[in-house]
């Protein structure tokens, strides 16, 4: 008699063959056959019990962002499946592979309006690149293998809905996976030297060129910096490229638009050539439409050409290949007053940020908190940055290098991504520091999963910047302008909440408590325990570079003075002042 195996166990063996280490989810009656399989396979595949399916899906997406390997999450039929959607859309928008396993009632109860029975395929039709309901027990492991392969190929979400009774059925115990043939290897088209030379000629002919650098340049940090200096062209980064180019590099102007530096926005406003290198820029409809400029795009995915701006020239290939060839084929440019002026503008911006961070008086502000984060962060720390004002503040104040990693919900921008991102960081890289940086609005959406940190002994450094305001939305309402409405939050003692969940909680209300709080927190982390610091900051708005008002040639002297006074920015000068200083024409 041939050997058999439960279909659900065979399915998990497919996951193991694909080198999947953990699966996030929350048990439900329609998923019990898979829960039984997870019990059987627990020595080879770890089940991480989250306290909300949204957290599980976001953690799976974070797994994929951190490691490049597919993340896996599950939810039971009906409400569990619905709760997963937020995290699955995050994976879709940030183009990472995730497998979602969805429970369904027994196939004998389907189409009878049974308890928690839903037609689940239509619900996932928009988010998924692969969306199937299992029709026979024997097909379960086969379909899972196919789903993983499609998720890798399309860099998206694969959803498999599993009638609960099918998982218990004995099927032939034979190999079902195709993992011996890698699915996530993409052969990049070779870039002809003539195409690189064409872009170099366009750069040479431009007055104010910029490199717009994205995640596609990851792995070419040193070469990209050499190219910027060699050609005398400043670099503007996308948010997800934070740390790919070190913040300490003088030619790095930071990111543009709202979560941005002054220099990046000013340069984007006057550039006559943008060379986009492996960048996916979701704010292009705003920042790329202020004036006419030529646009060059180096992109591995040919379907993305022209998606953000009319294409003047495109190269289909790997960004790293382009950067290396451009270094080889180019001649060093003469020292450029334009490049020097851009660097001077950025130095002044950094000095302004440093001034804010160095303040030692009350009230407590977010800049002081970030100074402490930078002080204690390891050189290979992972920062799970939640959505809101901390997006702006992290881009400006975190001092990152290429060894560090930044996690966030970038394009979908769902609040509550910080806790699951930090959980994923410690699961994927247990030896590295993991920070969750969140505002009180975002943190309160997922704070129940501090219990997950405790249950799995994850020494995560949770930092809550609590100002009782949805400050990012408040700023948007201010800019409309319209009266503030719906953005005030009732306060909470998050340190006490953390203590109630078994996490060391520390509340900080004054500057002179901050240093000791971080020292205590680091002692907890070093002892292998999670910790939370609840920083009671003001609702102060950071300087809005998107409505910068420091150039009297473009407005009134009175308006400039009022703007500088409001944001404690008397020393800031417009880019035009640096152009004049360095003789830029």
């Amino acid at each position: 008699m041939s050997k058999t195996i439960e279909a659900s166990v065979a399915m998990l063996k497919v996951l193991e063959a694909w080198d999947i280490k953990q699966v996030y989810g929350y048990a439900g009656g329609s998923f019990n056959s898979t829960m039984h399989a997870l019990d059987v396979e627990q020595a080879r595949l770890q089940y991480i019990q989250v306290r909300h399916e949204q957290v599980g899906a976001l953690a799976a997406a974070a797994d994929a962002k951190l490691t490049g390997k597919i993340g896996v999450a599950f939810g039971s039929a009906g409400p569990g499946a619905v709760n997963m959607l937020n995290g699955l859309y995050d994976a879709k928008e940030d183009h990472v592979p995730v497998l979602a396993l969805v429970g369904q009632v027994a196939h004998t109860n389907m189409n009878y309006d049974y308890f928690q029975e839903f037609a689940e395929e239509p619900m996932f039709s928009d988010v998924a690149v692969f969306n199937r309901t299992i029709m026979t027990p024997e097909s379960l492991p086969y379909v899972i293998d196919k789903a993983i392969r499609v998720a890798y190929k399309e860099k998206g979400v694969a959803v498999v809905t599993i009638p609960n009774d099918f998982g218990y059925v004995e099927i032939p115990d034979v190999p079902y996976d195709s993992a011996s043939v890698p699915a996530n290897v993409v052969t990049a088209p070779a870039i002809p030297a003539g195409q690189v030379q064409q872009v170099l000629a366009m750069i040479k002919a431009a007055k104010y060129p910029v490199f717009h650098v994205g995640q596609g340049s990851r792995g070419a940090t040193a070469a990209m910096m050499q190219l910027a200096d060699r050609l005398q062209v400043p670099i503007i980064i996308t948010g997800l490229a934070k740390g790919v180019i070190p913040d300490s590099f003088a030619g790095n102007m930071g990111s543009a638009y709202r979560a941005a530096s002054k220099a990046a926005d000013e340069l984007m406003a006057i550039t006559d050539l943008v060379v986009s290198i492996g960048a996916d820029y979701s704010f292009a409809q705003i920042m790329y439409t202020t004036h006419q400029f030529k646009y060059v795009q180096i992109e591995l995915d040919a379907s993305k050409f022209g998606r953000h701006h009319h294409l003047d020239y495109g190269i289909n290939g790997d960004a790293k290949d382009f950067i290396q060839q451009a270094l080889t084929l180019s001649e060093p440019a003469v020292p450029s007053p334009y490049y020097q002026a851009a660097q001077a503008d950025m130095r002044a911006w950094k000095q302004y940020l440093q001034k804010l961070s160095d303040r030692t008086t009350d009230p407590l502000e977010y800049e002081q908190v970030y100074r402490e984060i930078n002080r204690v962060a390891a050189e290979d720390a992972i920062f799970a940055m939640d959505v809101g004002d901390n997006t702006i503040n992290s881009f400006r104040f975190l001092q990152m290098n290429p060894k560090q990693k930044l996690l966030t919900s970038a394009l979908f921008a769902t609040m509550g991504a910080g806790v699951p991102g930090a959980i994923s960081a410690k699961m994927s890289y247990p030896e590295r520091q993991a920070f969750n940086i969140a505002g009180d609005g975002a943190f309160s959406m997922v704070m129940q999963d501090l219990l997950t940190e405790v249950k799995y002994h994850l020494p995560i450094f949770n930092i809550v910047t609590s100002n009782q305001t949805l400050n990012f939305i408040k700023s948007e309402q201010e800019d409309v302008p319209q009266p503030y409405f719906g953005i005030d939050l009732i306060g909470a003692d998050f340190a006490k909440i953390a203590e109630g969940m078994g996490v060391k909680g520390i509340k900080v209300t004054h500057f002179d408590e901050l240093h000791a709080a971080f020292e205590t927190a680091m002692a907890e982390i070093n002892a292998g325990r999670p910790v939370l610091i609840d920083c009671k900051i003001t609702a102060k708005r950071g300087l809005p570079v998107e409505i910068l008002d420091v150039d009297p040639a473009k407005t009134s002297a009175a308006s400039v003075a009022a703007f500088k006074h409001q944001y404690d920015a008397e020393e800031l000068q417009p880019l035009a002042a640096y152009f004049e200083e360095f003789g830029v024409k």
Side-chain angles (χ1 to χ4, degrees):
M1 184 176 179
S2 60
K3 189 177 180 182
T4 61
I5 186 173
E6 286 189 355
S8 56
V9 176
M11 171 187 70
L12 296 190
K13 287 187 177 296
V14 171
L15 302 189
E16 293 160 14
W18 282 101
D19 197 32
I20 293 163
K21 303 299 186 185
Q22 62 260 349
V23 177
Y24 301 92
Y26 200 67
S30 60
F31 209 72
N32 274 335
S33 61
T34 304
M35 298 308 300
H36 171 60
L38 286 166
D39 181 20
V40 172
E41 291 298 296
Q42 63 180 293
R44 291 165 289 278
L45 182 67
Q46 187 176 14
Y47 161 51
I48 305 299
Q49 180 198 68
V50 293
R51 302 304 287 263
H52 194 289
E53 293 89 350
Q54 170 183 323
V55 170
L58 283 167
D63 273 0
K65 294 175 189 179
L66 280 171
T67 68
K69 292 163 52 178
I70 192 167
V72 184
F74 68 80
S76 57
V82 172
N83 283 344
M84 295 178 73
L85 277 170
N86 221 26
L88 299 185
Y89 267 103
D90 174 65
K92 174 190 176 181
E93 292 300 304
D94 284 355
H95 311 295
V96 293
V98 164
L99 173 64
L101 305 176
V102 178
Q104 181 57 283
V105 301
H107 84 285
T108 52
N109 293 326
M110 291 174 66
N111 301 317
Y112 283 92
D113 298 320
Y114 194 76
F115 174 70
Q116 288 191 329
E117 178 201 356
F118 284 82
E120 291 178 326
E121 275 192 33
M123 182 168 63
F124 295 104
S125 61
D126 179 63
V127 77
V129 296
F130 182 91
N131 185 17
R132 297 288 189 276
T133 297
I134 298 300
M135 304 304 291
T136 66
E138 292 79 8
S139 68
L140 175 55
Y142 162 79
V143 173
I144 291 296
D145 183 70
K146 185 176 180 181
I148 292 170
R149 192 165 287 282
V150 174
Y152 270 126
K153 179 179 181 292
E154 302 296 334
K155 296 182 179 179
V157 176
V159 178
V160 179
T161 302
I162 308 169
N164 187 40
D165 57 328
F166 283 171
Y168 293 115
V169 176
E170 295 284 333
I171 64 174
D173 187 7
V174 297
Y176 290 95
D177 70 272
S178 62
S180 60
V181 181
N184 57 345
V185 176
V186 178
T187 302
I191 300 176
Q195 293 185 358
V196 179
Q197 289 168 333
Q198 175 64 29
V199 176
L200 292 173
M202 295 175 73
I203 292 172
K204 188 173 182 180
K207 288 182 67 177
Y208 310 129
V210 298
F211 288 127
H212 204 179
V213 173
Q215 282 200 102
S217 65
R218 196 176 296 278
T221 295
M224 189 65 236
M225 293 190 295
Q226 291 171 29
L227 186 63
D229 281 343
R230 186 176 182 84
L231 300 182
Q232 299 284 283
V233 176
I235 294 171
I236 296 172
I237 61 170
T238 63
L240 287 177
K242 170 81 172 175
V244 174
I245 307 299
D247 290 313
S248 59
F249 177 56
N252 181 4
M253 303 293 112
S255 54
Y257 188 45
R258 283 189 72 187
S261 77
K262 168 182 173 290
D265 274 21
E266 289 178 312
L267 289 170
M268 195 66 83
I270 59 115
T271 183
D272 58 346
L273 174 66
V274 173
V275 180
S276 173
I277 304 179
D280 188 5
Y281 188 50
S282 59
F283 295 108
Q285 188 58 24
I286 295 174
M287 295 304 293
Y288 280 3
T289 57
T290 57
H291 67 293
Q292 294 292 319
F293 56 77
K294 291 184 178 180
Y295 181 67
V296 173
Q297 189 175 1
I298 293 89
E299 174 59 57
L300 185 59
D301 183 350
S303 69
K304 294 180 180 178
F305 281 111
R307 69 187 299 189
H308 292 316
H309 191 278
H310 169 72
L311 191 63
D312 291 283
Y313 197 77
I315 294 180
N316 185 202
D318 186 2
K320 295 181 285 296
D321 182 16
F322 169 81
I323 293 166
Q324 291 291 349
Q325 285 203 52
L327 264 179
T328 301
L329 296 172
S330 61
E331 296 292 333
V334 297
S336 163
Y338 161 68
Y339 192 46
Q340 294 168 346
Q343 290 180 327
D345 193 12
M346 190 61 183
R347 279 197 303 273
W349 173 249
K350 289 181 177 178
Q351 289 166 2
Y352 166 67
L353 298 182
Q354 191 65 50
K355 179 191 76 172
L356 299 179
S357 300
D358 287 345
R359 191 173 52 78
T360 60
T361 56
D362 283 333
L364 186 67
E365 303 283 12
Y366 60 82
E367 301 100 333
Q368 298 164 316
V369 176
Y370 274 87
R371 182 185 179 188
E372 286 295 306
I373 296 173
N374 288 326
R375 181 179 69 82
V376 302
E379 64 173 7
D380 63 348
I382 301 171
F383 302 100
M385 175 188 75
D386 219 311
V387 173
D389 251 18
N390 277 309
T391 306
I392 299 174
N393 300 336
S394 294
F395 284 167
R396 290 180 180 177
F397 290 93
L398 279 182
Q399 296 170 6
M400 289 188 62
N401 67 69
K403 293 182 181 179
Q404 296 170 329
K405 290 179 179 285
L406 182 70
L407 270 175
T408 191
S409 177
L411 297 181
F412 194 52
T414 180
M415 296 171 71
V419 168
I423 290 171
S424 168
K426 288 306 292 186
M427 294 305 306
S428 297
Y429 299 102
E431 75 287 356
R432 296 171 68 169
Q433 275 185 347
F435 289 85
N436 159 41
I437 306 173
D440 45 350
F443 178 70
S444 60
M445 291 185 174
V446 292
M447 60 187 179
Q448 75 284 336
D449 271 272
L450 288 180
L451 293 168
T452 304
E453 299 180 15
V454 173
K455 181 169 185 174
Y456 296 99
H457 310 289
L458 303 177
I460 290 169
F461 200 140
N462 299 278
I463 299 164
V464 182
T465 51
S466 178
N467 56 17
Q468 298 183 233
T469 308
L470 292 173
N471 226 36
F472 195 92
I473 308 306
K474 180 181 178 183
S475 300
E476 290 181 329
Q477 292 184 359
E478 179 181 327
D479 292 345
V480 172
Q482 68 183 59
Y484 299 138
F485 186 77
I487 45 83
D488 56 307
L489 301 174
I490 188 170
D493 189 331
F494 294 106
K496 281 188 177 180
I497 291 171
E499 292 279 354
M501 295 189 193
V503 174
K504 173 71 174 178
I506 309 166
K507 183 166 71 172
V508 178
T509 57
H510 300 286
F511 171 79
D512 60 10
E513 302 166 343
L514 194 60
H515 180 86
F518 271 75
E519 290 298 294
T520 300
M522 285 302 299
E524 288 292 304
I525 295 297
N526 293 335
R529 297 185 291 268
V531 67
L532 180 142
I533 300 182
D534 180 9
C535 299
K536 301 300 185 183
I537 63 170
T538 72
K540 178 186 77 173
R541 181 182 186 180
L543 188 148
V545 293
E546 71 276 14
I547 54 171
L548 191 67
D549 192 2
V550 297
D551 190 349
K554 297 179 180 178
T555 183
S556 68
S559 178
V560 170
F563 185 89
K564 289 185 174 183
H565 176 74
Q566 180 177 355
Y567 296 104
D568 191 18
E570 283 74 13
E571 65 270 45
L572 290 185
Q573 299 298 318
L575 178 61
Y578 299 103
F579 273 23
E580 182 178 354
E581 178 183 345
F582 289 92
V584 180
K585 298 179 181 179

